Amino acid sequence: MKSDINIKKLKEFAGQSVTLNGWVYNKRSGGKVRFIILRDGTGLLQCVLFKGNVSEDVFERFNLLNQESSVQVTGNVKVEERAPGGVELDVTDFSIIGNSENYPITPKEHGIEFLIDHRHLWIRSKRQMAILRIRHRIVKAIRDFFDERDFTLFDPPIITPNACEGTSTLFETEYFDLGKAYLTQSGQLYAEAGALALGKVYTFGPTFRAEKSKTRRHLTEFWMVEPEMAFYDLNDDMDLAEEFLEYIVQTVLKDMQTELAALERDVTKLQKVRRPFPRISYTDAVEILRKKGVDFEWGNDFGAADETLISEDYDQPVLVHRYPSEVKAFYMKRDPDNPKVALAVDVLAPEGYGEIIGGSQREDDYDLLLKRIKEHDLPVEFFDWYLDLRKYGSVPHAGFGLGLERTVSWICGLEHLREAIPFPRMIYRNTP
Ligand code: 4AD
Ligand code: MG
């Protein structure tokens, strides 16, 4: 049953007879010729049945095929420059494996709610397959980037006793006799322990936020990659973030041309994602907003509309650094030159995609960190181990978190994060 040949590598088999497994993406007929558009997960292939070349039986069997019927097709691989992928299949035989009556997603337009209700089938469409393959390529690029730079993958726990990114977005659960536990919002605090053990680490996994907001940029379950580096300051952190983003975008541009074309992505925008990226302070960003007529008070956090205004004049992602410490997390180190601001950085993607990275240099002083934990009303007893990191060989260290779905969404040019993950979780949806 299994076939070692797939549509993606079919060109290597030009002139040979092959057998492929897949599903009927579409079909159509002309006079003496029938076409099956075959889908196998690696691409789409035009399969041609000529009346004279196949038996009467095989030719008639074509009529039994429906959209998404599963099939095994045998035929000769023919070079056809006009076909997508450069080849088509001259069919000699095929069999139906599983029928598919009344497939709900037809080539006509469907509403978005209908499509998400049928997400388990929607992912079979050309557009969704392209997005999911690009997501996979981005994940691999992320891992390659860190693996090639002597980082160690470090897996933090998902079940945690305390908050990392504010207490308002915690998913809570009863944990046996130990009281409440929470789904992790970020692996960062554990990554810091990892960095002090292994030098440079990265975490990569699902994170959870009970976000009450119903925006196109928020999921309640999303994937985050978080590098954490000992002996890095904010500048080193920003250099790494820049190199990292350039690497991801240029890798996708190089390897995923077919998929980007399927999405009709304007790749000229992505080609401009080359270092150096602009770096501006929060205070400069506030000035930009004011010049554009926004009545913005220093000390507030930026909303999505502000982020778009700040980044719209640039082709590259913009690094905004040194935010007011009041709007940022407890673990961020204050700027020694101006304690009102934290040594934080947010990276805003171009084209209005907003924040894709949040990072900072961490508070490495025991007393100051303890003070911040208390100021933020966090339960000190759960931070004992975290404070230990400042007691035994504390060093300057820094890191950042990149949201995977926001990155996929930007690179693919999507309207909404829900298409960037196989099964999106949002405030009003936890199915299918
Ligand atoms: O800015 P955030 O909250 O930073 C942290 O969690 C730090 N602990 C990271 C670190 O320094 N190690 O989140 C980081 C990124 C955001 O920039 C965004 O891309 C993504 O995670 N993100 C979300 N993505 C989808 N849905 C949500 N609700 C998200 N919240 C954050
Ligand atoms: Mg943030």
Side-chain angles (χ1 to χ4, degrees):
M1 185 80 227
K2 145 178 178 290
S3 167
D4 292 326
I5 301 172
N6 62 35
I7 294 174
K8 192 176 170 187
K9 51 183 179 198
L10 207 55
K11 220 171 177 176
E12 299 164 26
F13 297 87
Q16 298 180 37
S17 174
V18 300
T19 296
L20 289 168
N21 296 321
W23 295 262
V24 176
Y25 193 72
N26 210 339
K27 67 170 197 176
R28 53 179 213 281
S29 1
K32 291 194 162 83
V33 47
R34 306 275 183 272
F35 299 97
I36 303 170
I37 308 301
L38 186 74
R39 161 183 93 67
D40 77 345
T42 71
L44 294 175
L45 174 70
Q46 173 155 291
C47 306
V48 192
L49 285 86
F50 290 104
K51 196 163 181 140
N53 289 5
V54 294
S55 69
E56 193 68 24
D57 256 19
V58 172
F59 202 69
E60 288 307 313
R61 202 176 300 149
F62 176 88
N63 297 326
L64 302 174
L65 292 176
N66 292 312
Q67 189 187 348
E68 290 302 322
S69 296
S70 47
V71 287
Q72 185 164 65
V73 187
T74 302
N76 298 308
V77 181
K78 223 175 72 189
V79 174
E80 174 51 78
E81 286 312 330
R82 285 167 304 176
V87 285
E88 61 179 30
L89 198 72
D90 202 347
V91 179
T92 51
D93 196 8
F94 78 88
S95 57
I96 299 174
I97 298 163
N99 200 4
S100 166
E101 301 258 0
N102 303 319
Y103 185 70
I105 305 180
T106 57
K108 72 164 192 171
E109 289 273 312
H110 294 282
I112 185 69
E113 285 305 315
F114 178 86
L115 289 171
I116 315 189
D117 280 340
H118 294 84
R119 184 65 176 162
H120 51 296
L121 301 176
W122 187 26
I123 50 177
R124 300 183 187 191
S125 77
K126 191 172 157 185
R127 175 183 163 85
Q128 300 306 316
M129 286 188 295
I131 296 169
L132 293 176
R133 278 198 291 263
I134 291 175
R135 178 183 166 109
H136 168 251
R137 189 65 192 86
I138 292 174
V139 169
K140 181 167 154 45
I142 288 170
R143 298 203 41 164
D144 288 345
F145 179 86
F146 291 120
D147 294 349
E148 284 162 12
R149 285 163 183 76
D150 294 327
F151 281 72
T152 301
L153 178 66
F154 187 80
D155 301 314
I158 300 273
I159 298 172
T160 60
N162 56 268
C164 176
E165 296 297 325
T167 48
S168 64
T169 60
L170 285 171
F171 277 112
E172 198 175 281
T173 180
E174 287 304 323
Y175 198 79
F176 306 104
D177 296 334
L178 298 181
K180 292 199 190 322
Y182 310 95
L183 295 183
T184 186
Q185 299 166 307
S186 156
Q188 179 200 315
L189 307 186
Y190 296 96
E192 289 182 52
L196 270 60
L198 298 157
K200 294 192 288 186
V201 298
Y202 66 105
T203 72
F204 199 174
T207 47
F208 306 86
R209 309 253 172 119
E211 299 274 6
K212 308 254 161 31
S213 48
K214 205 183 150 190
T215 79
R216 60 196 184 90
R217 289 185 188 173
H218 289 94
L219 297 170
T220 53
E221 177 178 319
F222 63 97
W223 280 62
M224 183 156 51
V225 54
E226 296 182 89
E228 188 72 31
M229 298 75 64
F231 305 103
Y232 269 50
D233 64 13
L234 178 65
N235 265 331
D236 301 325
D237 201 30
M238 293 200 282
D239 290 345
L240 186 76
E242 237 181 80
E243 191 187 352
F244 179 52
L245 286 175
E246 182 189 69
Y247 179 89
I248 294 172
V249 171
Q250 296 307 321
T251 301
V252 173
L253 269 176
K254 177 166 63 70
D255 291 354
M256 305 306 283
Q257 288 169 17
T258 311
E259 286 76 10
L260 290 168
L263 299 172
E264 295 174 13
R265 180 68 167 107
D266 179 358
V267 291
T268 61
K269 295 256 165 55
L270 297 175
Q271 280 157 357
K272 293 180 183 150
V273 180
R274 288 284 187 190
R275 286 178 287 165
F277 299 167
R279 294 183 184 190
I280 58 177
S281 70
Y282 166 91
T283 305
D284 290 343
V286 170
E287 269 320 300
I288 293 178
L289 287 178
R290 287 182 182 158
K291 281 207 185 97
K292 294 189 179 203
V294 183
D295 180 18
F296 194 91
E297 195 182 329
W298 196 101
N300 288 343
D301 205 357
F302 299 133
D306 303 320
E307 288 179 351
T308 302
L309 285 173
I310 294 163
S311 61
E312 68 182 356
D313 302 326
Y314 305 100
D315 290 328
Q316 301 107 317
V318 184
L319 289 83
V320 182
H321 54 82
R322 293 179 171 78
Y323 282 72
S325 19
E326 299 292 312
V327 299
K328 288 294 184 189
F330 73 95
Y331 53 71
M332 293 187 182
K333 193 176 177 65
R334 307 256 167 125
D335 186 347
D337 295 332
N338 176 10
K340 274 165 64 181
V341 298
L343 293 174
V345 60
D346 275 6
V347 184
L348 311 180
E351 301 174 71
Y353 279 92
E355 180 197 333
I356 47 170
I357 282 183
S360 68
Q361 188 173 333
R362 322 304 189 188
E363 182 51 74
D364 50 12
D365 179 85
Y366 183 94
D367 295 323
L368 285 174
L369 184 60
L370 181 61
K371 191 169 153 221
R372 303 274 177 265
I373 291 171
K374 287 180 178 160
E375 279 169 7
H376 280 79
D377 276 331
L378 294 166
V380 178
E381 64 275 20
F382 290 127
F383 288 90
D384 273 355
W385 69 268
Y386 186 63
L387 284 158
D388 269 358
L389 306 176
R390 279 70 181 169
K391 229 155 95 183
Y392 305 107
S394 186
V395 292
H397 61 289
F400 61 81
L402 170 88
L404 179 62
E405 289 74 21
R406 290 203 189 163
T407 307
V408 172
S409 187
W410 161 46
I411 292 178
C412 292
L414 310 181
E415 286 277 315
H416 195 296
L417 246 46
R418 65 191 160 209
E419 282 185 275
I421 185 166
F423 292 95
R425 294 290 174 255
M426 294 162 292
I427 180 166
Y428 293 122
R429 179 174 290 274
N430 60 7
T431 56

